[in-house]
C-alpha cells in the first residue's frame, strides 16, 4: 500500500508542476508613478486604427512632434485609456466560456481499495468510469449563451469607445473655442489700451475730462480680468482633455489646430425616419442590451428545462 501511494505521488508531481503562480501585489505608489510618466513618445507606433474589436479610423502614422489633431487625439485615447484596455480583456474571458461550453464533459475515473471480506488475505480493487449525460439541446444552449455573451461584451466595448470619442471631440472643440475667445479678448485688451492712451492725450490737451479717463481705465481693467478668467478656463479644459486621454493633469499637450480658424461643417437636413434609423443603428448600447436579452433567454432555457 505504501509503495502504491509513493508511485501515485511520483506520477502526479510533474503534472502539478506544469502550472505555476507568481505573486504580483498591487503597489498604489508605483502605479501612480507610472501614470505620471506617461508620454506621447511612448506610443509613437500608434496607428490611427481603433482596437481589434472596436472602432476603425483612418490609417496613418502617429507623429506627436507637430501636435495632435482631432483624429490623433481620438486614436491616442482609444489606445491609452486603462479602462478600455481592461474591457477588451473581457473578450478573451468570454471566448474561453464559449470554448468551455463547446466541450463535452470530461469522464471521471474512480479507484477504490478495501480489504477482502471474511478475513481473506489481500485487497479488493474497484474501478469505475462515470460519464455525464447531457440533454439533447443542453450543449447547443450553452454554446448559444456563450456566443451571445461575446457579442454583448463587444457591443459594450464599442459603445464605451464611442462615448470616449464623443467626449474627446467635444472637449477638443471646447479647448479650441476657449482659445479663440482668448484671442478676441487679447485683441480687445490691445484696443482698450490704445483707447486709454488717446483719452489721456485728450485730457492733457484739455479736450477730455478725468471722468472719461477713469471710465476707460475701468473698462480696460474689466477686459483684463476677463482675459485672466479665460486663461483659467483654458487650463481647466486642457486638464479635462488630458484626463480623457489618460495623461497626467500637468502634461503640456500640444494641439495641431490651436492657431487655425474653426471650420464650420454644414450637414444636410434628414427626415425624422432617417434620423430614427441612424439613432437605432448607431446606439451600440442597444446592441449590447439585445445580446444580453438573448443570453438571458438561453440561460432561462437551461434553468427551466
Amino acid at each position: 500500500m505504501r509503495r502504491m501511494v509513493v508511485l501515485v505521488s511520483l506520477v502526479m508531481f510533474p503534472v502539478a508542476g506544469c502550472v505555476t503562480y507568481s505573486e504580483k501585489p498591487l503597489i498604489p505608489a508605483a502605479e501612480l508613478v507610472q501614470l505620471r510618466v506617461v508620454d506621447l513618445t511612448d506610443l509613437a507606433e500608434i496607428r490611427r486604427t481603433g482596437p481589434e474589436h472596436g472602432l476603425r479610423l483612418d490609417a496613418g502614422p502617429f507623429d506627436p512632434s507637430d501636435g495632435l489633431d482631432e483624429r490623433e487625439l481620438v486614436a491616442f485615447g482609444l489606445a491609452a485609456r486603462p479602462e478600455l484596455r481592461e474591457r477588451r480583456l473581457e473578450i478573451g474571458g468570454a471566448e474561453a466560456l464559449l470554448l468551455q461550453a463547446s466541450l463535452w464533459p470530461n469522464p471521471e475515473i474512480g479507484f477504490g481499495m478495501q480489504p477482502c471480506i471474511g478475513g481473506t488475505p489481500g485487497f479488493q480493487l474497484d474501478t469505475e468510469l462515470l460519464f455525464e449525460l447531457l440533454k439533447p439541446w443542453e450543449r447547443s444552449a450553452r454554446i448559444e449563451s456563450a456566443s451571445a455573451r461575446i457579442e454583448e461584451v463587444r457591443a459594450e466595448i464599442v459603445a464605451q469607445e464611442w462615448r470616449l470619442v464623443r467626449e474627446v471631440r467635444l472637449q477638443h472643440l471646447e479647448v479650441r473655442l476657449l482659445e479663440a475667445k482668448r484671442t478676441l479678448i487679447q485683441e480687445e485688451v490691445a484696443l482698450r489700451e490704445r483707447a486709454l492712451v488717446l483719452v489721456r492725450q485728450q485730457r492733457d490737451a484739455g479736450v477730455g475730462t478725468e471722468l472719461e479717463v477713469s471710465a476707460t481705465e475701468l473698462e480696460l481693467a474689466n477686459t483684463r480680468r476677463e482675459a485672466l478668467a479665460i486663461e483659467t478656463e483654458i487650463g481647466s479644459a486642457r486638464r479635462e482633455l488630458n484626463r480623457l486621454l489618460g495623461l497626467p493633469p500637468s502634461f503640456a499637450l500640444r494641439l495641431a489646430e490651436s492657431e487655425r480658424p474653426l471650420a464650420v461643417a454644414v450637414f444636410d437636413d434628414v427626415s425624422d425616419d432617417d434620423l430614427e434609423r441612424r439613432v437605432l443603428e448607431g446606439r451600440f448600447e442597444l446592441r449590447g442590451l439585445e445580446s444580453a436579452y438573448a443570453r438571458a433567454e438561453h440561460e432561462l432555457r437551461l434553468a427551466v428545462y
Side-chain angles (χ1 to χ4, degrees):
M1 181 65 180
R2 182 177 300 176
R3 292 179 179 178
M4 182 175 294
V5 172
V6 174
L7 179 61
V8 172
S9 301
L10 292 177
V11 172
M12 296 299 296
F13 180 76
V15 177
C18 293
V19 180
T20 59
Y21 168 75
S22 58
E23 183 179 1
K24 188 178 180 180
L26 177 64
I27 304 176
E31 296 296 330
L32 183 59
V33 171
Q34 291 296 326
L35 292 176
R36 287 175 176 173
V37 298
V38 173
D39 194 0
L40 296 179
T41 56
D42 297 337
L43 299 175
E45 299 299 326
I46 290 180
R47 301 292 179 178
R48 294 186 205 173
T49 301
E52 179 181 358
H53 304 285
L55 299 175
R56 294 294 179 187
L57 304 175
D58 295 340
F62 180 82
D63 185 13
S65 60
D66 57 348
L68 303 186
D69 57 15
E70 184 181 85
R71 292 187 177 273
E72 289 174 335
L73 289 173
V74 170
F76 181 85
L78 292 175
R81 281 294 291 268
E83 299 89 344
L84 290 178
R85 294 201 300 266
E86 178 186 1
R87 290 303 304 274
R88 293 180 191 123
L89 294 177
E90 295 182 8
I91 296 180
E95 292 176 347
L97 292 178
L98 176 60
L99 178 61
Q100 182 180 1
S102 61
L103 298 177
W104 292 98
N106 294 327
E108 297 181 2
I109 302 176
F111 295 95
M113 181 179 295
Q114 60 182 357
C116 294
I117 302 175
T120 305
F123 294 90
Q124 293 181 349
L125 181 62
D126 298 330
T127 306
E128 58 184 7
L129 181 62
L130 303 177
F131 291 92
E132 180 182 358
L133 298 179
L134 299 179
K135 298 175 183 178
W137 44 262
E138 185 174 357
R139 181 170 177 268
S140 62
R142 291 180 178 178
I143 293 176
E144 292 173 355
S145 176
S147 301
R149 175 56 183 167
I150 293 178
E151 296 301 325
E152 178 185 359
V153 172
R154 287 178 177 174
E156 291 176 352
I157 292 175
V158 174
Q160 187 173 354
E161 290 173 349
W162 273 113
R163 283 195 297 270
L164 178 63
V165 170
R166 172 183 173 273
E167 293 175 357
V168 169
R169 286 176 174 173
L170 287 178
Q171 194 62 34
H172 175 247
L173 180 60
E174 177 70 16
V175 172
R176 293 197 60 195
L177 287 174
L178 291 175
E179 289 178 347
K181 185 178 180 181
R182 176 182 60 184
T183 302
L184 295 177
I185 293 178
Q186 290 175 349
E187 294 177 356
E188 183 179 359
V189 169
L191 291 176
R192 292 193 179 278
E193 288 177 348
R194 291 173 57 187
L196 179 60
V197 172
L198 293 176
V199 172
R200 286 176 176 174
Q201 290 177 354
Q202 291 176 355
R203 181 200 59 185
D204 297 339
V207 179
T209 63
E210 191 68 32
L211 181 60
E212 293 177 349
V213 174
S214 300
T216 306
E217 291 177 346
L218 180 60
E219 292 175 354
L220 177 59
N222 291 333
T223 307
R224 287 174 175 173
R225 178 181 57 81
E226 293 179 2
L228 293 177
I230 199 65
E231 290 292 343
T232 303
E233 294 180 10
I234 291 176
S236 300
R238 281 185 165 273
R239 285 190 294 270
E240 177 63 18
L241 182 59
N242 289 347
R243 185 191 68 82
L244 293 175
L245 298 177
L247 294 172
S250 59
F251 183 82
L253 180 62
R254 181 183 177 186
L255 301 179
E257 303 174 348
S258 292
E259 304 300 331
R260 301 176 186 175
L262 290 173
V264 179
V266 180
F267 299 94
D268 298 333
D269 294 334
V270 296
S271 62
D272 294 340
D273 295 337
D274 291 338
L275 181 61
E276 182 178 355
R277 177 182 55 83
R278 293 183 183 183
V279 169
L280 293 178
E281 291 178 353
R283 292 297 299 272
F284 294 95
E285 298 89 344
L286 298 180
R287 299 184 186 181
L289 293 176
E290 183 180 359
S291 300
Y293 180 83
R295 178 172 58 88
E297 284 286 338
H298 297 305
E299 293 178 354
L300 180 61
R301 178 184 173 189
L302 289 172
V304 171
Y305 298 102

